[in-house]
Amino acid sequence: MEPVSVVIITFNEAENIGRCIDAAAKVAAEVVVLDSYSTDATEIIARQKGAHFFQHKFEGHIQQKNKALSFAKYEWVLSLDADEVLSEWAIQQIQQLKDWNKYDAFSFNRLNNYCGQWIKHGGWYPDRKIRLFKKSAGKWGGTNPHDKFELNSRTNVKHIDADILHYSYRTQAEHIAQSQKFSAIAAKALYASGIQSVFLKIVFGPPVKFIRDYVFRLGFLDGRNGFNIAYISAKAVYWKYSALQQLNRTKE
């Protein structure tokens, strides 16, 4: 097995960081935590678990994850969020990998836990993410707050059919608050990129999002939580483009 730097960004993740590090340590040559000046016990727990702990002002999810890569000692990096945990099957698959020299990155499924229920539909699963990669193979990109690892040209990716467990929201109220926060961040990112025409997206975007996730992506099979997820996701589309419209009006 190649040496792997596990890299985690944090802010007030005392409830999650210990669980994340414990699982990651089973495949890690080192664990790196880049923190945004937490005010809880995140630093204490991370250091107790043996992580290399650093701090840097948060300027955006993409910027923070790229900054975190600079602290990784090894070429191979496994990037995790603090509320994510490697499943035992994912750990075994990484430990038994034979294809390190054939590929530049590996993707995994992400299985989301919502209010105590594992969500298998509605576009939330398998939710494939590239999380194990060579530092030289690309960089974090996308649109804040929805970051993704973007590979350079002529790179090879292999999918590993194993889950990263994501403990997303403990309550519906958490989901709503996070969606509102992320919608505001996304609106600012769109505004910075010069997006202006949003009226049709405000009107038609939310119902299209709901129907796609709840009906065509079978969100109804996840019961009441499936409905709540689709509804809040649709509302998030409305919040995002309404905020963008307000920013554009303010500029005018």
Side-chain angles (χ1 to χ4, degrees):
M1 177 177 169
E2 293 286 333
V4 174
S5 295
V6 174
V7 175
I8 309 163
I9 64 170
T10 58
F11 177 69
N12 288 347
E13 292 286 358
E15 293 187 7
N16 294 314
I17 190 62
R19 177 179 58 193
C20 179
I21 292 176
D22 284 343
K26 297 178 182 180
V27 299
E30 67 165 354
V31 176
V32 173
V33 173
L34 180 59
D35 182 70
S36 306
Y37 298 97
S38 291
T39 57
D40 64 2
T42 297
E43 178 176 0
I44 295 172
I45 297 170
R47 291 188 183 277
Q48 287 176 343
K49 297 291 184 180
H52 303 303
F53 188 87
F54 305 93
Q55 290 183 309
H56 184 264
K57 180 181 177 181
F58 187 81
E59 298 172 345
H61 292 81
I62 295 168
Q63 295 87 337
Q64 197 76 348
K65 287 193 173 183
N66 279 321
K67 181 67 176 178
L69 293 181
S70 68
F71 293 102
K73 178 180 178 179
Y74 300 105
E75 172 68 356
W76 279 99
V77 172
L78 174 64
S79 179
L80 295 172
D81 293 336
D83 58 359
E84 295 176 338
V85 180
L86 290 175
S87 66
E88 285 299 322
W89 183 241
I91 291 169
Q92 292 178 30
Q93 293 302 297
I94 294 171
Q95 290 173 336
Q96 297 170 10
L97 268 179
K98 306 295 183 183
D99 299 328
W100 297 95
N101 296 325
K102 296 181 181 178
Y103 298 95
D104 303 286
F106 297 91
S107 62
F108 297 82
N109 305 325
R110 189 166 71 158
L111 180 59
N112 295 278
N113 188 287
Y114 185 88
C115 301
Q117 178 183 348
W118 295 109
I119 303 299
K120 297 291 187 68
H121 308 91
W124 274 35
Y125 190 79
D127 192 21
R128 291 186 177 187
K129 305 287 185 184
I130 294 174
R131 289 304 181 82
L132 179 60
F133 49 81
K134 293 179 180 178
K135 283 193 295 184
S136 59
K139 64 180 181 180
W140 287 98
T143 302
N144 279 321
H146 302 294
D147 52 72
K148 61 180 179 179
F149 193 75
E150 297 179 340
L151 293 166
N152 301 329
S153 59
R154 299 181 181 178
T155 48
N156 296 316
V157 183
K158 180 179 181 179
H159 181 67
I160 297 176
D161 194 17
D163 294 338
I164 294 174
L165 308 177
H166 181 212
Y167 293 86
S168 57
Y169 303 108
R170 291 169 298 179
T171 66
Q172 185 180 346
E174 277 187 9
H175 187 193
I176 293 171
Q178 187 80 309
S179 294
Q180 291 174 328
K181 175 183 175 181
F182 278 10
S183 295
I185 295 172
K188 290 178 181 178
L190 291 172
Y191 176 76
S193 67
I195 303 298
Q196 293 185 346
S197 180
V198 297
F199 177 74
L200 292 178
K201 292 180 180 179
I202 292 174
V203 174
F204 296 108
V208 169
K209 176 66 173 173
F210 179 85
I211 293 170
R212 182 180 64 183
D213 290 354
Y214 191 65
V215 179
F216 293 106
R217 291 181 172 175
L218 307 180
F220 63 89
L221 293 178
D222 288 313
R224 182 66 183 177
N225 282 330
F227 176 87
N228 290 337
I229 289 169
Y231 178 76
I232 296 170
S233 296
K235 289 286 290 185
V237 174
Y238 174 80
W239 292 327
K240 178 175 66 175
Y241 287 110
S242 293
L244 177 58
Q245 184 180 61
Q246 185 60 42
L247 288 171
N248 286 325
R249 287 176 175 172
T250 301
K251 179 181 178 180
E252 294 171 0

